[in-house]
Structure formats: structure tokens, C-alpha cells
Amino acid sequence: MLFAAALLLAGINCADAVELGFSGMTQMDANTYLVVQDKKVYEPGSRLGVLQVKADGALDYVPLTVSDWKDQDGQSSDLESVCRLPGSANEYLLAESGYWDGKFGRIFQVTLTADTAVVQQVYHVPKIVAGGKGIHGDNFEGMVCIAQGDAVLVVLGERGGSKRYKQGYLRLGVLDKTAKTLSWQQYAAQPLEIKAPGRWLHADKKRTISDLYLDKQGVIWAVATEDGGDQGPFRSVIYQAATVSGQAEQLKVTAVSHPKVQWQVDGFKVESLAAPAANVAGSYLSIGTEDENYGGIWRPLFAPLKKH
């Protein structure tokens, strides 16, 4: 088990990675990650790409092209999370943060090729509170996908920190790939409240969930963030938010009642959590940041330094 600690940063350089910012990330293979960016619909450029961690610690980033988003609202706006569909080698879900003026709020099911992402299906996030002018709507910033029999349990993380949602919440949906449906009704009345640990300057405005990551032991990790503006300062806290138990179609997601700070990352706004890279020996997790005016970085997380 990990212990509360500050972050150890490994010096890995990549100009492209520093500039792009990471709003969501998931591992594709031992040393490769699919990354999404939170560009708004009016912003040009790629929305997602593939990041590879080389044996010497160097990073390579290749943007992916989406020629057709297959939705009347056009290209993605504010992608915040991504997860691989269980049992698939190249199918993923990409989720926008939510609705804005009645638009967007989409989850794209895509298939990846060498340099493109092909949209196969478009679903939607729960429409609990639709965002609009002057309205603080739902803001989903994390997502994990879990095999549940022949279906997929989709877990979305509401970030919290708004007038409506002081804390974070996990909302559960069921994806039926055969029927091409994603339903939130089965668990609609059962959102899980998540409270982030740590010390915060403005506790009611922190984002309880900026991303989610499911490890092999069935633990859903989360990262909470606080910032003073686009120039910072930033603070991030990584903690265990929930656990997944049961088998087949009887999965149960349970919130951790008293989460503890596992890592505190000062100076960076962590918005991506993923599995460790094989080429970085001894790391526990991988993180990506979205540091607003400063772009972003990718780094491995190591165990804390110990006193001698």
C-alpha cells in the first residue's frame, strides 16, 4: 500500500508534451497512452493523440485525426476523460465534460488506427443539470470502464466545487455495445458522494475529481485539484476514492469512507491518472497535468522518499 507523500518528478523532456496539456489519459499498452485535450469546439487542432514513453525516458507524441465526429454539434468540445472498452484492443470512450447551452455532453466510442480515430457511436453523459449561461451544470472530469458480464459499467466522476455540487460524485451507467445504448437509469438515484482528503485554501471550491483511474486490484483512484487562476498556484491530491467488488453482472462500487492523501502535488494541476509505464522502473502511477497558461507535463509517480 502507498503512503501519503509529496511527488517525486522524473526529468523527462518532450516539447510537444509540455505544450499540449493533459485533460485525460489511459494506458494503451505497457508504454503507450491515449491522451485527450480539453479544447473547446471553436479551437482548432487535434483533440487526442498517442504518447509513447521510450526506454531512455524520452516522450513521443503523435496527434490523431478525426475526420467525422458523427454528430450535429460537430467536433468535440472540452474532452475531459477517456477509457478503454474492456476486452477490446483498440476501442475507447472519450467523454466531454457536460452540456453547454443544451449542446455537447457527448461520449464518443472510437476505434483507433495508426494515425486516426474513427467514431463508431455517439452517446451522452447524464443530463442532471444542463450547463448554460450563468448555470453551473454537471462537470464530469473522470471516467473508467469496467467489464460487467456482456455489458460495460461506465463510471463518471462529477468534479464538484460548484454551487450545486460541493463534493464529487460517481455516476454509473451501463453500456450495451450490441444494442448500442448507454443507459444511466439503473443507477440514477444512487450516485456515490466522494470527499477528497487534504488541506485546501478554499475547500468548497476545490475539484474533488479531476480524473479517475481503476487499478488491477479494483481500486478507483482519483485526483482532486485547486487553483488560484490560469497562472496558478496549483495543488493536486491523489487518493483512493472507491473500490469495485463482485463478479460478472453483480459488480458493486463502494465509496471509500475515510480516504487518505497518498500523494500531494504542489505547483501542478493534475488532470490525468493512468497505469505506470514499464519503461520507468519502480513507478506506481503515471500523471498528466493541465497547468493552464503553462501547458502540461507527463510524469511518473514514485514511492515517497524515506527519512534516514
Side-chain angles (χ1 to χ4, degrees):
M1 186 59 62
L2 306 179
F3 299 93
L7 173 69
L8 262 177
L9 294 179
I12 299 178
N13 298 314
C14 176
D16 290 339
V18 169
E19 294 173 358
L20 65 90
F22 298 78
S23 61
M25 174 173 65
T26 193
Q27 193 173 46
M28 301 173 66
D29 61 34
N31 294 293
T32 309
Y33 299 85
L34 179 61
V35 174
V36 297
Q37 302 176 51
D38 59 0
K39 291 180 179 177
K40 306 302 186 287
V41 68
Y42 52 81
E43 294 181 284
S46 174
R47 267 81 176 134
L48 64 159
V50 174
L51 182 80
Q52 185 175 26
V53 182
K54 299 296 190 67
D56 60 358
L59 302 179
D60 277 349
Y61 179 77
V62 178
L64 296 178
T65 300
V66 180
S67 60
D68 185 357
W69 290 93
K70 297 184 179 178
D71 186 78
Q72 63 181 5
D73 289 341
Q75 65 182 338
S76 70
S77 185
D78 201 20
L79 287 178
E80 287 286 355
S81 53
V82 54
C83 62
R84 184 208 296 265
L85 286 178
S88 174
N90 64 345
E91 282 189 293
Y92 297 83
L93 296 183
L94 322 173
E96 294 176 319
S97 61
Y99 293 89
W100 183 253
D101 284 342
K103 300 173 64 177
F104 313 121
R106 299 164 295 181
I107 297 179
F108 301 94
Q109 180 179 332
V110 302
T111 301
L112 302 189
T113 65
D115 57 359
T116 63
V118 179
V119 176
Q120 304 292 347
Q121 194 70 27
V122 181
Y123 308 105
H124 285 84
V125 301
K127 197 171 186 178
I128 310 301
V129 180
K133 294 180 180 178
I135 298 176
H136 293 276
D138 296 286
N139 281 285
F140 299 107
E141 295 205 355
M143 176 172 60
V144 295
C145 296
I146 312 166
Q148 184 172 259
D150 294 330
V152 177
L153 186 66
V154 179
V155 181
L156 282 178
E158 158 65 47
R159 75 184 189 189
S162 68
K163 292 181 179 179
R164 183 176 181 87
Y165 299 115
K166 297 297 184 184
Q167 306 297 335
Y169 287 88
L170 299 183
R171 296 193 181 276
L172 282 59
V174 178
L175 173 63
D176 186 328
K177 292 197 294 181
T178 302
K180 299 181 179 179
T181 60
L182 175 53
S183 172
W184 304 97
Q185 294 307 308
Q186 181 177 343
Y187 302 99
Q190 305 171 41
L192 299 179
E193 185 178 68
I194 304 297
K195 295 182 178 180
R199 301 177 64 182
W200 305 93
L201 184 62
H202 301 288
D204 60 337
K205 294 183 179 180
K206 72 179 183 305
R207 297 183 181 184
T208 300
I209 299 172
S210 287
D211 200 22
L212 299 172
Y213 160 64
L214 176 67
D215 70 16
K216 294 180 180 179
Q217 287 71 47
V219 175
I220 297 179
W221 292 81
V223 57
T225 62
E226 183 178 30
D227 65 78
D230 289 347
Q231 295 262 110
F234 306 111
R235 167 169 290 177
S236 302
V237 165
I238 297 168
Y239 63 100
Q240 296 181 352
T243 58
V244 181
S245 58
Q247 297 180 351
E249 298 177 1
Q250 303 299 318
L251 292 181
K252 183 179 181 181
V253 180
T254 305
V256 174
S257 56
H258 300 288
K260 297 180 180 179
V261 176
Q262 302 293 332
W263 285 278
Q264 180 170 305
V265 187
D266 282 317
F268 296 91
K269 188 177 180 182
V270 178
E271 291 201 9
S272 299
L273 297 177
N279 280 336
V280 184
S283 61
Y284 284 89
L285 292 172
S286 299
I287 64 170
T289 76
E290 171 55 87
D291 299 322
E292 304 302 339
N293 290 350
Y294 305 109
I297 60 170
W298 181 95
R299 291 291 188 270
L301 274 177
F302 293 95
L305 289 172
K306 297 181 179 180
K307 293 182 179 180
H308 295 286

